[in-house]
Amino acid sequence: SRSPSVYIMTMQGQVVKSFSSGKREGGDFVACWVSPHGDWIYCLGEDCNLYCFSMQTSKLEHLLKAHEKGGIGLCHHPHRNMLATFADEGTMKMWKP
């Protein structure tokens, strides 16, 4: 389901950290990914922006326009510092955070 917030929780369901787009409309996240070292959490919004949050501070550090429309997902390379976003318009973009 979509939400403008992402939560890091314990196995018992207790919220440890939360991250938010800060938008009331058009800011729901459609996909999220934690970097392999756990330093960053990347979220793709329905507004096609890529939100980059610091896991240490829980603050939004970077905001990038990933696609013009229809952002549907993202993933992080397991060993390299590379991120991919993709959209239903048939595009995929590679990012080096």
Side-chain angles (χ1 to χ4, degrees), residues 1-8 19-21 27-35 40-45 49-51 53 72-76 83-84 86:
S1 68
R2 294 179 177 192
S3 170
S5 299
V6 173
Y7 302 98
I8 305 294
F19 308 88
S20 176
S21 69
D28 285 353
F29 297 128
V30 296
C32 291
W33 201 277
V34 177
S35 67
W40 298 94
I41 185 164
Y42 303 103
C43 301
L44 184 63
N49 285 326
L50 179 61
Y51 295 78
F53 296 96
I72 56 174
L74 76 152
C75 62
H76 198 290
L83 186 72
F86 43 97

Side-chain angles (χ1 to χ4, degrees), residues 1 4 7 11 36 45-46 56 59 65 68-69 73 81 94:
S1 68
Y7 302 98
M11 292 295 285
E46 67 182 355
Q56 233 177 13
K59 292 184 180 178
K65 186 69 172 177
E68 290 303 314
K69 61 181 179 174
N81 192 23
M94 302 295 289

Side-chain angles (χ1 to χ4, degrees), residues 50-71:
L50 179 61
Y51 295 78
C52 307
F53 296 96
S54 166
M55 285 289 275
Q56 233 177 13
T57 65
S58 299
K59 292 184 180 178
L60 178 65
E61 298 289 338
H62 305 284
L63 180 64
L64 308 165
K65 186 69 172 177
H67 296 276
E68 290 303 314
K69 61 181 179 174

